[in-house]
Structures are given as C-alpha cells and as structure tokens.
Amino acid sequence: TDIPDGLSDVIAITAGEYHSLALLEDGSVVGWGYNNYGQTDIPDGLSYVIAITAGEIHSLALLEDGSVVGWGHNNYGQTDIPDGLSNVTAITAGGLHSLALLEDGSVVGWGYNDSGQTNIPDGLSYVIAITAGDQHSLALLGDGSVVGSGRNNYGQLDIPNGLSNVTAITAGTDHSLA
C-alpha cells in the first residue's frame, strides 16, 4: 500500500489485514489502505491519541484520558467500546475482537468470541501486556509468564513448558511469539 505523501513525525504504526495506521507526534492518526468498512476513516476530532491498533477490518485508538475510540467494521461489536471502560493503559485488536488492559492489571475483551478469544481467564491479574491474533488472545503477566485464550487449532496457545522471564509478546493470525 502506498504511504501517504508527506507523512512525518510518526511515533507508532500498526497494520490490519489490508489497512495501516500511523500515530503522529501531535496525537493525531492517519490511515491508508483498503477502506471498504471505514477502517481508515479517522473519526472527526480524534485527538490526544497515545496508542493505536488495527484489527482485521477495524481500528482502535487509546486516548490520554484512558478512554478508547473504535471505528471500522462492527459486525461483531468489535468497535462497541464497553460502557464505563476507563483507566485503559493498552489496547489490541484481533481479527474481529478487541482487548483493553486496565491500570489495575485486569483485561476486558469484546467483539467476536466464537472461540473464547474474549473470555478472560478467571483470576487473571497482574497483566502487563496484551496481544490478539485472529481468534486468540495472550496476556503477559508481571512474573514473566504468558496466559492465552481462544482458538488453538495450530498450537498458538500451547505455551512451551518452562517458558519464563518473558518480556514481550505478540500474536499473528494463527501463531504466537514471546
């Protein structure tokens, strides 16, 4: 996809299935690529953005005040931000689902959930990072361990025995990395 002319002062980028977003130093967002579902149509007045994420055909922005804004395709509620969601410190967009990490180390999920990808494991706490694949989700805990939920058809949730001291995680369509 062609990067927009004159794009500068970029501090973060993210890519969905066929679209990309850039977060600019001034807290604004630029989108480009496939836009059949409005996933690159940045909401009017969107500002004070500190993080962005792109799902399959939807996009999310985390604002300075800890709130979240979503846009794009919403066939499974993936852009319907849960009522009262606040104190968010991180966001991630999966295929058709979304997750938010809260200040207290808990996680909230919404959107498509046919494989349990938005089901937060009971007692999950001390989460320091989150990531989402197509139909699975991962959480990195403060003790360096990883917990997952959702579809596991390719072993994407089979956390290797002895995996510890993890400092970062990411999820692809049907795989996971730590």
Side-chain angles (χ1 to χ4, degrees):
T1 303
D2 295 329
I3 297 171
D5 289 336
L7 185 62
S8 63
D9 300 323
V10 174
I11 60 171
I13 57 172
T14 187
E17 186 165 344
Y18 300 110
H19 73 290
S20 301
L21 302 173
L23 174 59
L24 306 185
E25 195 172 69
D26 67 1
S28 63
V29 178
V30 175
W32 67 95
Y34 184 70
N35 192 38
N36 201 41
Y37 299 105
Q39 63 269 42
T40 67
D41 290 339
I42 310 306
D44 290 338
L46 185 67
S47 59
Y48 303 103
V49 176
I50 60 170
I52 53 175
T53 186
E56 184 175 313
I57 47 181
H58 74 289
S59 303
L60 300 174
L62 173 59
L63 307 185
E64 280 181 349
D65 67 1
S67 64
V68 178
V69 175
W71 64 95
H73 203 40
N74 194 35
N75 54 330
Y76 292 101
Q78 63 266 39
T79 67
D80 289 338
I81 309 308
D83 290 337
L85 185 68
S86 62
N87 300 316
V88 177
T89 61
I91 53 174
T92 188
L96 299 170
H97 72 288
S98 304
L99 300 173
L101 174 60
L102 307 185
E103 279 180 358
D104 67 2
S106 63
V107 177
V108 175
W110 64 96
Y112 194 52
N113 193 37
D114 76 322
S115 297
Q117 61 267 40
T118 67
N119 293 347
I120 308 307
D122 289 337
L124 185 67
S125 61
Y126 305 109
V127 177
I128 60 171
I130 53 175
T131 189
D134 183 39
Q135 292 185 31
H136 74 289
S137 301
L138 298 173
L140 174 59
L141 306 185
D143 67 1
S145 63
V146 178
V147 175
S149 63
R151 186 171 68 179
N152 193 33
N153 56 326
Y154 293 105
Q156 58 268 44
L157 297 180
D158 294 339
I159 311 300
N161 289 332
L163 181 68
S164 63
N165 300 316
V166 175
T167 59
I169 55 174
T170 193
T173 299
D174 288 316
H175 68 284
S176 302
L177 298 170

